[in-house]
Amino acid sequence: MTLHQLRVFAKVAELQSFTEAAKALRLSQPSVSSLVQGLVRELKYKLFERRGIKIALTPAGKVLLRRAQEALAIIEGTKDEIDEIQGLRKEKLNVGGSGLAASFLPAAIQTFKRAHPEIEVTLTIDRSRNLENGLLEGDLDIGVLSHVHSPLLAHTLYGEDDLIVIASPNHPLTKKHSVPLELLAREPSVMFERGGLMYDMIQRRFAESRISFNPTLEVKTRSIARDAIKSAVSNGIGIGFIAKRHVEADIKAGRLKRLKVPEFNLKRQMYVVTHKKRNSGTPVKEFKDFLLQYKNEG
């Protein structure tokens, strides 16, 4: 007597038909009949009797059905308990991403979760320096950051992006084939707040050319910074400094223009970062491997 036999028998009893049970179980009718006959031979009692076009349980069949339902309920209950234990032990992964990573990490994580439903993933978008602290303190398991300082963190170059200068489509500088840094410094400008990596990189670039540069407007709310810069620039408030990947669609649609500034050859790197002595378990490895594949597919 097997569980498969008991399931088939219970379905025949429920539907009062070998044919309907075979359809419901996606088995052939001869297979269903053979399985039930196997029970009859083992128990040495008739389990069904014909009543017109339907079949009905015999007294022995009723006893077997009750016991079969109890056994199947126990098996299903056991499976539910195991699933619950698995749920309580569900693995968690805390991911951090800096500004550049914010353009792709949410979509990447959704793809990852579909492939690994057993792993709960949370995402934090913040400055690289704050994410680095999160990795060091154990609040984050893995991050995609623009820079890494601590020797306790392992980092692998993931990609890079150009920092570019943008303007509204009708800005006079868009007509120039080449815009010198000195001319840029005279224009009203919009960029991320001081203290961030991008701000420091841009200031350093102007300083290297001995050009004084003071942005007109600094956007301080990180969660809306990119949209605020794009909106300000498109409305003619000034030129803007931003990563290329954040405005590619706007440039293609004609909402913004990229200025040609040969001297402004800055790039931002992205690194996949983990703690050297912490969080080397399966979820971290799975996500790190996934990111590399996701990058290559993208």
Side-chain angles (χ1 to χ4, degrees), residues 254-272:
R255 292 186 292 268
L256 295 168
K257 291 284 187 179
R258 177 179 180 177
L259 298 184
K260 300 172 183 177
V261 189
E263 298 171 90
F264 196 80
N265 52 347
L266 296 177
K267 294 181 181 293
R268 285 187 67 180
Q269 285 74 37
M270 287 185 292
Y271 301 91
V272 177

Side-chain angles (χ1 to χ4, degrees), residues 200-259:
D200 292 342
M201 289 177 66
I202 294 170
Q203 284 286 9
R204 188 161 52 248
R205 184 67 195 88
F206 278 96
E208 288 170 352
S209 297
R210 301 180 183 276
I211 298 172
S212 176
F213 171 71
N214 293 296
T216 307
L217 178 65
E218 297 176 26
V219 182
K220 295 189 176 182
T221 308
R222 299 290 298 179
S223 61
I224 63 170
R226 292 190 301 275
D227 290 338
I229 290 173
K230 291 191 289 185
S231 177
V233 172
S234 64
N235 284 291
I237 292 177
I239 60 173
F241 300 86
I242 198 166
K244 179 183 175 182
R245 70 171 60 224
H246 295 322
V247 290
E248 285 180 314
D250 300 276
I251 292 173
K252 186 175 181 180
R255 292 186 292 268
L256 295 168
K257 291 284 187 179
R258 177 179 180 177
L259 298 184

Side-chain angles (χ1 to χ4, degrees), residues 143-148 154-159 269-273:
V144 183
L145 283 60
S146 296
H147 60 83
V148 183
H155 59 283
T156 303
L157 182 64
Y158 185 70
Q269 285 74 37
M270 287 185 292
Y271 301 91
V272 177
V273 186

Side-chain angles (χ1 to χ4, degrees), residues 73-210:
I74 290 171
I75 294 300
E76 289 302 316
T78 302
K79 181 179 181 299
D80 290 340
E81 288 183 21
I82 292 173
D83 287 343
E84 183 178 355
I85 291 172
Q86 290 297 103
L88 291 173
R89 295 179 179 175
K90 196 166 187 179
E91 296 179 289
K92 296 184 179 181
L93 182 68
N94 296 315
V95 181
S98 61
L100 279 179
S103 63
F104 69 88
L105 264 184
I109 286 173
Q110 288 305 310
T111 302
F112 177 78
K113 287 170 69 174
R114 285 194 292 271
H116 299 277
E118 77 282 4
I119 301 176
E120 290 183 357
V121 186
T122 59
L123 173 63
T124 300
I125 300 296
D126 204 340
R127 286 183 175 181
S128 287
R129 65 177 63 179
N130 295 335
L131 298 176
E132 186 172 352
N133 289 334
L135 287 163
L136 291 170
E137 294 170 6
D139 297 326
L140 296 175
D141 301 311
I142 187 170
V144 183
L145 283 60
S146 296
H147 60 83
V148 183
H149 293 113
S150 174
L152 296 175
L153 299 178
H155 59 283
T156 303
L157 182 64
Y158 185 70
E160 62 181 16
D161 195 17
D162 294 325
L163 295 184
I164 64 173
V165 188
I166 56 173
S168 64
N170 58 356
H171 195 287
L173 292 182
T174 61
K175 307 298 189 295
K176 292 184 172 292
H177 293 292
S178 178
V179 180
L181 281 179
E182 189 174 1
L183 188 54
L184 278 186
R186 299 174 191 163
E187 293 289 326
S189 58
V190 185
M191 61 186 295
F192 292 102
E193 64 180 310
R194 68 188 63 217
L197 178 64
M198 184 180 292
Y199 185 97
D200 292 342
M201 289 177 66
I202 294 170
Q203 284 286 9
R204 188 161 52 248
R205 184 67 195 88
F206 278 96
E208 288 170 352
S209 297
R210 301 180 183 276

